[in-house]
Amino acid sequence: MDSFKDQTVIVTGGSKGIGREICLQFARKKANVVINYFSSEEKVIELLSYIENFGGKAIIVKGDVSVLSDTKKIVDSAIKAFGKVDILVNNSGITRDNLMMRMSEEEFDSVINTNLKGTWNMCKSVTRHMLKNRIGKIINITSVVGIIGNAGQANYVASKAGIIGLTKSLSKEFGARGITCNAVAPGFIQTKMTDSLSDEIKEYYLAQIPLNKFGTVEDVANTVLFLASDEAAYITGQVISVNGGMI
Protein backbone atom coordinates (compact mmCIF):
# COMPACT_ATOMS: atom_id res chain seq x y z
CA MET A 1 0.00 0.00 0.00
CA ASP A 2 3.05 2.25 -0.41
CA SER A 3 1.82 3.65 -3.70
CA PHE A 4 -1.08 3.67 -6.14
CA LYS A 5 1.13 5.18 -8.85
CA ASP A 6 -0.39 4.92 -12.34
CA GLN A 7 -3.75 3.81 -10.92
CA THR A 8 -6.89 5.89 -11.39
CA VAL A 9 -9.57 6.21 -8.72
CA ILE A 10 -13.00 7.80 -8.94
CA VAL A 11 -14.41 9.11 -5.65
CA THR A 12 -18.03 10.25 -5.68
CA GLY A 13 -19.03 12.97 -3.23
CA GLY A 14 -15.36 13.80 -2.89
CA SER A 15 -15.48 17.49 -2.00
CA LYS A 16 -15.86 17.25 1.78
CA GLY A 17 -15.89 15.02 4.85
CA ILE A 18 -15.01 11.37 4.37
CA GLY A 19 -14.87 11.72 0.59
CA ARG A 20 -12.37 14.56 0.77
CA GLU A 21 -10.06 12.56 3.03
CA ILE A 22 -10.26 9.55 0.71
CA CYS A 23 -9.26 11.77 -2.22
CA LEU A 24 -6.35 13.25 -0.27
CA GLN A 25 -4.99 9.89 0.82
CA PHE A 26 -5.13 8.44 -2.70
CA ALA A 27 -3.43 11.57 -4.07
CA ARG A 28 -0.67 11.30 -1.47
CA LYS A 29 -0.17 7.69 -2.58
CA LYS A 30 0.38 8.90 -6.18
CA ALA A 31 -2.99 7.81 -7.63
CA ASN A 32 -4.74 9.78 -10.36
CA VAL A 33 -7.83 11.05 -8.54
CA VAL A 34 -11.15 11.86 -10.19
CA ILE A 35 -13.15 13.94 -7.70
CA ASN A 36 -16.88 13.91 -8.32
CA TYR A 37 -19.07 16.61 -6.79
CA PHE A 38 -22.55 17.99 -7.37
CA SER A 39 -23.06 21.18 -5.38
CA SER A 40 -19.95 22.08 -3.33
CA GLU A 41 -18.04 23.78 -6.15
CA GLU A 42 -15.99 26.10 -3.94
CA LYS A 43 -14.86 23.23 -1.72
CA VAL A 44 -13.92 20.96 -4.62
CA ILE A 45 -11.87 23.68 -6.34
CA GLU A 46 -10.05 24.28 -3.06
CA LEU A 47 -9.37 20.52 -2.74
CA LEU A 48 -8.07 20.29 -6.31
CA SER A 49 -5.71 23.20 -5.70
CA TYR A 50 -4.48 21.63 -2.47
CA ILE A 51 -3.73 18.32 -4.21
CA GLU A 52 -1.96 19.98 -7.12
CA ASN A 53 0.15 22.08 -4.74
CA PHE A 54 1.76 18.96 -3.24
CA GLY A 55 2.31 17.43 -6.68
CA GLY A 56 -0.74 15.18 -6.87
CA LYS A 57 -2.76 14.48 -10.00
CA ALA A 58 -6.50 15.09 -9.96
CA ILE A 59 -9.45 16.35 -11.97
CA ILE A 60 -12.91 17.42 -10.86
CA VAL A 61 -16.12 16.27 -12.55
CA LYS A 62 -19.53 17.66 -11.69
CA GLY A 63 -22.34 15.13 -11.82
CA ASP A 64 -25.48 13.92 -10.07
CA VAL A 65 -24.96 10.23 -9.31
CA SER A 66 -28.72 9.66 -9.22
CA VAL A 67 -28.75 10.29 -12.99
CA LEU A 68 -27.31 7.46 -15.07
CA SER A 69 -26.15 9.72 -17.91
CA ASP A 70 -24.19 11.80 -15.38
CA THR A 71 -22.41 8.74 -14.00
CA LYS A 72 -21.46 7.69 -17.53
CA LYS A 73 -20.00 11.19 -17.99
CA ILE A 74 -17.96 10.82 -14.81
CA VAL A 75 -16.47 7.52 -15.97
CA ASP A 76 -15.85 8.81 -19.50
CA SER A 77 -14.08 11.89 -18.10
CA ALA A 78 -11.82 9.68 -15.99
CA ILE A 79 -10.89 7.50 -18.98
CA LYS A 80 -10.31 10.55 -21.19
CA ALA A 81 -8.01 12.15 -18.62
CA PHE A 82 -6.09 9.12 -17.40
CA GLY A 83 -6.77 6.26 -19.82
CA LYS A 84 -8.49 3.86 -17.41
CA VAL A 85 -10.32 3.38 -14.12
CA ASP A 86 -8.83 0.98 -11.59
CA ILE A 87 -10.76 1.88 -8.44
CA LEU A 88 -14.27 3.19 -7.78
CA VAL A 89 -15.25 4.55 -4.37
CA ASN A 90 -18.99 5.18 -4.05
CA ASN A 91 -19.15 7.73 -1.26
CA SER A 92 -21.98 10.08 -2.33
CA GLY A 93 -24.82 10.20 0.15
CA ILE A 94 -27.54 12.44 1.57
CA THR A 95 -29.91 12.35 4.52
CA ARG A 96 -33.52 13.50 4.84
CA ASP A 97 -34.30 12.31 8.36
CA ASN A 98 -37.86 12.08 9.60
CA LEU A 99 -40.13 9.74 11.50
CA MET A 100 -42.03 7.32 9.28
CA MET A 101 -45.39 8.99 10.00
CA ARG A 102 -44.02 12.36 8.88
CA MET A 103 -41.66 11.28 6.09
CA SER A 104 -42.74 12.43 2.66
CA GLU A 105 -42.45 10.39 -0.51
CA GLU A 106 -39.93 12.93 -1.79
CA GLU A 107 -37.76 12.50 1.32
CA PHE A 108 -37.76 8.75 0.81
CA ASP A 109 -37.19 8.81 -2.94
CA SER A 110 -34.41 11.41 -2.91
CA VAL A 111 -32.33 9.44 -0.41
CA ILE A 112 -32.84 6.12 -2.21
CA ASN A 113 -32.07 7.72 -5.59
CA THR A 114 -28.80 9.32 -4.46
CA ASN A 115 -27.48 6.72 -2.04
CA LEU A 116 -28.60 3.39 -3.47
CA LYS A 117 -29.45 4.06 -7.11
CA GLY A 118 -26.44 6.39 -7.32
CA THR A 119 -24.18 3.54 -6.23
CA TRP A 120 -25.84 1.23 -8.78
CA ASN A 121 -25.50 3.88 -11.51
CA MET A 122 -21.75 4.28 -10.90
CA CYS A 123 -21.18 0.52 -10.79
CA LYS A 124 -23.23 0.11 -13.99
CA SER A 125 -21.27 2.86 -15.73
CA VAL A 126 -17.83 1.46 -14.87
CA THR A 127 -18.68 -2.23 -15.29
CA ARG A 128 -17.96 -2.68 -19.00
CA HIS A 129 -14.60 -0.92 -18.69
CA MET A 130 -13.47 -2.98 -15.67
CA LEU A 131 -14.75 -6.27 -17.10
CA LYS A 132 -12.85 -5.63 -20.33
CA ASN A 133 -9.63 -5.01 -18.40
CA ARG A 134 -10.35 -7.95 -16.08
CA ILE A 135 -9.26 -5.94 -13.06
CA GLY A 136 -10.83 -3.44 -10.69
CA LYS A 137 -11.71 -2.56 -7.11
CA ILE A 138 -15.11 -1.24 -6.06
CA ILE A 139 -15.55 0.08 -2.52
CA ASN A 140 -19.02 1.21 -1.43
CA ILE A 141 -19.54 3.39 1.63
CA THR A 142 -22.49 2.11 3.65
CA SER A 143 -23.18 2.79 7.37
CA VAL A 144 -23.48 1.12 10.74
CA VAL A 145 -27.21 1.93 10.64
CA GLY A 146 -27.53 -0.14 7.48
CA ILE A 147 -26.72 -3.10 9.73
CA ILE A 148 -28.59 -2.24 12.94
CA GLY A 149 -31.29 0.22 11.80
CA ASN A 150 -32.12 3.60 13.35
CA ALA A 151 -35.36 5.32 14.29
CA GLY A 152 -36.16 8.36 12.17
CA GLN A 153 -33.94 7.22 9.29
CA ALA A 154 -36.02 4.60 7.46
CA ASN A 155 -35.01 6.04 4.08
CA TYR A 156 -31.31 6.36 4.86
CA VAL A 157 -31.12 2.95 6.55
CA ALA A 158 -32.93 1.28 3.64
CA SER A 159 -30.48 2.86 1.19
CA LYS A 160 -27.43 1.78 3.17
CA ALA A 161 -28.75 -1.75 3.76
CA GLY A 162 -29.43 -1.93 0.02
CA ILE A 163 -25.81 -1.00 -0.67
CA ILE A 164 -24.70 -3.99 1.41
CA GLY A 165 -26.88 -6.34 -0.64
CA LEU A 166 -25.67 -4.75 -3.88
CA THR A 167 -22.05 -5.16 -2.78
CA LYS A 168 -22.46 -8.85 -2.02
CA SER A 169 -24.28 -9.52 -5.30
CA LEU A 170 -21.73 -7.68 -7.45
CA SER A 171 -18.86 -9.51 -5.75
CA LYS A 172 -20.38 -12.77 -7.02
CA GLU A 173 -21.00 -11.40 -10.52
CA PHE A 174 -17.57 -9.84 -10.97
CA GLY A 175 -15.24 -12.15 -9.05
CA ALA A 176 -14.42 -14.43 -11.98
CA ARG A 177 -13.22 -11.38 -13.94
CA GLY A 178 -10.78 -10.27 -11.24
CA ILE A 179 -12.93 -7.46 -9.83
CA THR A 180 -13.49 -7.18 -6.08
CA CYS A 181 -16.41 -5.38 -4.47
CA ASN A 182 -16.49 -4.54 -0.78
CA ALA A 183 -18.24 -2.11 1.56
CA VAL A 184 -17.08 0.03 4.45
CA ALA A 185 -19.59 0.76 7.22
CA PRO A 186 -18.56 3.79 9.30
CA GLY A 187 -20.01 4.27 12.75
CA PHE A 188 -20.05 7.62 14.57
CA ILE A 189 -17.41 9.67 12.74
CA GLN A 190 -16.26 13.07 13.99
CA THR A 191 -17.17 15.78 11.48
CA LYS A 192 -18.31 19.40 11.59
CA MET A 193 -21.85 18.08 12.02
CA THR A 194 -20.99 16.02 15.09
CA ASP A 195 -18.93 18.86 16.55
CA SER A 196 -22.10 20.94 16.74
CA LEU A 197 -23.96 18.38 18.89
CA SER A 198 -24.56 19.07 22.56
CA ASP A 199 -22.33 17.43 25.17
CA GLU A 200 -25.30 15.41 26.38
CA ILE A 201 -25.90 13.85 22.96
CA LYS A 202 -22.18 13.18 22.48
CA GLU A 203 -22.03 11.41 25.85
CA TYR A 204 -25.05 9.29 24.87
CA TYR A 205 -23.34 8.04 21.71
CA LEU A 206 -19.95 7.61 23.37
CA ALA A 207 -21.54 5.32 25.95
CA GLN A 208 -22.36 2.92 23.11
CA ILE A 209 -18.79 2.81 21.78
CA PRO A 210 -16.39 0.47 23.63
CA LEU A 211 -13.33 2.44 22.48
CA ASN A 212 -14.97 5.51 24.09
CA LYS A 213 -14.17 7.87 21.24
CA PHE A 214 -15.59 8.91 17.90
CA GLY A 215 -13.94 7.76 14.71
CA THR A 216 -12.19 10.11 12.30
CA VAL A 217 -12.41 10.54 8.55
CA GLU A 218 -8.85 9.19 8.45
CA ASP A 219 -10.03 5.92 10.04
CA VAL A 220 -12.52 5.41 7.22
CA ALA A 221 -10.11 6.46 4.46
CA ASN A 222 -7.43 4.10 5.78
CA THR A 223 -9.85 1.19 5.44
CA VAL A 224 -10.84 2.22 1.92
CA LEU A 225 -7.21 2.40 0.82
CA PHE A 226 -6.53 -1.02 2.31
CA LEU A 227 -9.43 -2.55 0.35
CA ALA A 228 -8.15 -0.87 -2.82
CA SER A 229 -4.64 -2.23 -2.32
CA ASP A 230 -2.96 -5.46 -3.40
CA GLU A 231 -2.94 -6.54 0.24
CA ALA A 232 -6.72 -6.99 -0.02
CA ALA A 233 -6.64 -8.94 -3.30
CA TYR A 234 -8.41 -11.97 -1.77
CA ILE A 235 -11.12 -9.97 0.02
CA THR A 236 -14.46 -9.49 -1.74
CA GLY A 237 -18.13 -9.38 -0.82
CA GLN A 238 -17.32 -8.15 2.68
CA VAL A 239 -18.61 -5.34 4.90
CA ILE A 240 -15.88 -3.91 7.11
CA SER A 241 -17.24 -1.93 10.05
CA VAL A 242 -15.27 1.07 11.31
CA ASN A 243 -17.20 1.85 14.47
CA GLY A 244 -15.01 1.42 17.57
CA GLY A 245 -16.89 -1.71 18.59
CA MET A 246 -20.32 -0.05 18.52
CA ILE A 247 -21.79 -3.27 17.07
Side-chain angles (χ1 to χ4, degrees):
M1 209 164 67
D2 289 339
S3 175
F4 286 94
K5 186 174 173 59
D6 298 326
Q7 293 191 50
T8 300
V9 55
I10 296 173
V11 182
T12 67
S15 64
K16 54 189 176 181
I18 291 171
R20 181 181 188 275
E21 184 61 28
I22 291 170
C23 290
L24 283 174
Q25 290 209 26
F26 271 116
R28 291 183 184 120
K29 297 284 186 178
K30 308 300 183 185
N32 305 317
V33 184
V34 179
I35 311 166
N36 159 252
Y37 76 103
F38 182 53
S39 59
S40 302
E41 186 166 9
E42 186 177 337
K43 289 183 181 296
V44 80
I45 291 172
E46 179 188 344
L47 174 60
L48 177 64
S49 176
Y50 185 80
I51 289 172
E52 290 178 339
N53 283 342
F54 66 71
K57 293 182 181 179
I59 63 168
I60 57 177
V61 184
K62 185 176 184 178
D64 181 353
V65 295
S66 71
V67 179
L68 183 60
S69 59
D70 276 21
T71 61
K72 289 178 178 176
K73 181 186 74 174
I74 294 165
V75 173
D76 289 345
S77 297
I79 295 170
K80 182 179 179 180
F82 299 118
K84 58 175 182 168
V85 177
D86 303 281
I87 304 157
L88 167 63
V89 182
N90 285 306
N91 171 73
S92 284
I94 63 170
T95 57
R96 297 287 186 273
D97 296 350
N98 219 334
L99 294 173
M100 187 67 164
M101 289 292 291
R102 298 173 184 165
M103 186 176 290
S104 68
E105 184 178 13
E106 188 279 328
E107 286 172 333
F108 183 85
D109 288 349
S110 62
V111 171
I112 294 295
N113 286 339
T114 296
N115 299 7
L116 179 55
K117 188 168 184 286
T119 299
W120 183 88
N121 283 343
M122 285 301 306
C123 291
K124 175 76 172 174
S125 295
V126 83
T127 294
R128 189 178 300 277
H129 176 75
M130 284 188 173
L131 290 177
K132 181 181 177 182
N133 292 341
R134 300 184 72 88
I135 192 168
K137 308 266 190 179
I138 298 173
I139 299 112
N140 299 322
I141 306 299
T142 178
S143 169
V144 62
V145 299
I147 302 169
I148 64 174
N150 197 32
Q153 286 193 309
N155 49 2
Y156 184 75
V157 171
S159 72
K160 293 300 186 177
I163 288 172
I164 292 173
L166 179 65
T167 298
K168 291 180 177 293
S169 295
L170 294 185
S171 71
K172 294 181 183 298
E173 284 191 31
F174 297 161
R177 293 291 191 96
I179 299 166
T180 64
C181 186
N182 293 288
V184 176
F188 206 98
I189 304 301
Q190 188 169 1
T191 62
K192 288 183 179 179
M193 183 178 70
T194 57
D195 288 342
S196 66
L197 296 175
S198 69
D199 290 340
E200 184 179 3
I201 293 175
K202 289 179 182 178
E203 288 173 10
Y204 170 79
Y205 282 112
L206 279 172
Q208 302 176 53
I209 303 172
L211 289 184
N212 198 36
K213 62 179 180 179
F214 297 144
T216 66
V217 291
E218 290 85 358
D219 292 326
V220 181
N222 288 341
T223 307
V224 170
L225 264 73
F226 167 69
L227 289 172
S229 72
D230 291 339
E231 284 91 337
Y234 199 58
I235 299 174
T236 194
Q238 303 305 305
V239 182
I240 299 187
S241 295
V242 183
N243 60 39
M246 189 175 175
I247 63 165

